[in-house]
């Protein structure tokens, strides 16, 4: 089943907006800054999964890293929704450009 995540992201965005007492400009800035927090949690999970903190040892698993990466993606999608009326279109267009630059025209459009 291949369903788009964008309706769920739109619902999360609406919920966050409804719950926030801040003006839209501050909400926009804080949603972008929230990405830094989430990326830090990925780093913490990687350090914990590899046991690189002698005081904490192996405090995380690679599944924790996966979960934190998903949080980064969700947070970025919500932030993008805050910035544009068409987050899905903006993302698809940007992804297509990255694929063209990185994979070339044939591989970018064929999926392989």
């Amino acid at each position: 089943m291949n369903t788009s995540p964008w309706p769920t992201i739109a619902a999360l965005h609406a919920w966050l907006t409804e719950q926030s007492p801040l003006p839209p400009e501050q909400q926009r800035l804080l949603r972008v800054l929230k990405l830094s927090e989430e990326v830090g949690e990925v780093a913490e999970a990687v350090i914990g999964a590899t046991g690189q903190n002698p005081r904490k040892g192996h405090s995380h698993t690679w599944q924790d890293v996966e979960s934190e990466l998903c949080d980064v993606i969700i947070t970025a999608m919500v932030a993008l929704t805050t910035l544009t009326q068409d987050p899905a279109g903006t993302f698809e267009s940007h992804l297509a450009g990255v694929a063209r630059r990185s994979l070339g025209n044939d591989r970018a459009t064929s999926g392989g």
Side-chain angles (χ1 to χ4, degrees), residues 71-101:
D71 287 347
V72 169
I73 294 166
I74 293 165
T75 301
M77 291 173 81
V78 169
L80 185 60
T81 300
T82 302
L83 296 175
T84 180
Q85 293 288 344
D86 183 16
T90 300
F91 178 76
E92 292 290 329
S93 176
H94 187 79
L95 179 60
V98 169
R100 276 191 305 276
R101 286 191 312 273

Side-chain angles (χ1 to χ4, degrees), residues 10-59:
L12 288 168
H13 174 266
W15 174 74
L16 286 167
T17 300
E18 178 183 294
Q19 297 297 313
S20 178
L22 300 173
E25 299 80 24
Q26 287 181 335
Q27 289 182 42
R28 182 174 37 241
L29 290 173
L30 291 173
R31 288 186 188 150
V32 172
L33 289 175
K34 178 75 172 157
L35 280 166
S36 294
E37 177 190 0
E38 295 299 339
V39 169
E41 291 176 11
V42 172
E44 179 182 16
V46 168
I47 289 167
T50 58
Q52 294 305 301
N53 183 336
R55 186 173 51 82
K56 293 183 181 178
H58 284 82
S59 58

